[in-house]
Amino acid sequence: MSAIELILTQAKFIAQQCPQPSDSSLERAIDGSLSGIVTYIKLDNGEYQTLSRYEHDIWVFPASKGTKAYKASALKLNFTTISDIQMKRMAKWVVWNKMKEGLAVSSLRKDFETFEWVF
């Protein structure tokens, strides 16, 4: 995906957002068909830059979600470290669901690290 493809108008951004957590989106997460934008930044010109999509195995969070002391690597979640596909899907679901509840990146990392530790 090129940098140009990552910049979206508001209409395209809304159309590509990952759906809100629900029973049907959980089913899609479990079967691997859930997709959409999970992290982004809004640009000064009103357009949106996509940082991460649900279907990708590395999610990057904007610097605004961390603290000044956060390293860039702390703003990434790497789901490739979970080899079991079903557990990876569940880890993504749990992190995404918690993210929608407003949890900070540091809290999301703790949930993610639980899955890494188990698998």
Side-chain angles (χ1 to χ4, degrees):
M1 196 179 285
S2 74
I4 293 172
E5 292 174 293
L6 298 176
I7 306 297
L8 303 171
T9 63
Q10 185 170 2
K12 287 183 179 179
F13 171 75
I14 290 169
Q16 292 186 34
Q17 284 257 288
C18 205
Q20 292 293 322
S22 66
D23 288 345
S24 65
S25 58
L26 173 59
E27 290 172 12
R28 290 174 57 202
I30 291 169
D31 73 18
S33 66
L34 188 63
S35 65
I37 297 168
V38 292
T39 64
Y40 61 91
I41 47 178
K42 187 171 183 177
L43 304 173
D44 291 338
N45 65 2
E47 293 182 320
Y48 293 83
Q49 181 175 1
T50 303
L51 299 177
S52 307
R53 297 185 57 85
Y54 191 91
E55 59 271 25
H56 295 161
D57 283 343
I58 297 176
W59 291 3
V60 179
F61 293 85
S64 62
K65 297 291 184 188
T67 65
K68 289 183 180 181
Y70 257 50
K71 295 183 209 172
S73 62
L75 293 170
K76 289 182 183 178
L77 293 181
N78 184 351
F79 292 97
T80 61
T81 59
I82 303 172
S83 58
D84 182 276
I85 192 71
Q86 286 302 109
M87 289 309 299
K88 183 185 301 187
R89 290 174 180 170
M90 288 310 302
K92 284 183 174 184
W93 172 260
V94 168
V95 170
W96 177 65
N97 203 8
K98 297 286 186 178
M99 188 176 82
K100 289 308 220 180
E101 292 175 3
L103 258 60
V105 174
S106 59
S107 296
L108 296 173
R109 287 193 69 75
K110 288 176 187 168
D111 288 337
F112 173 70
E113 288 166 358
T114 300
F115 278 95
E116 282 187 313
W117 180 79
V118 173
F119 294 93

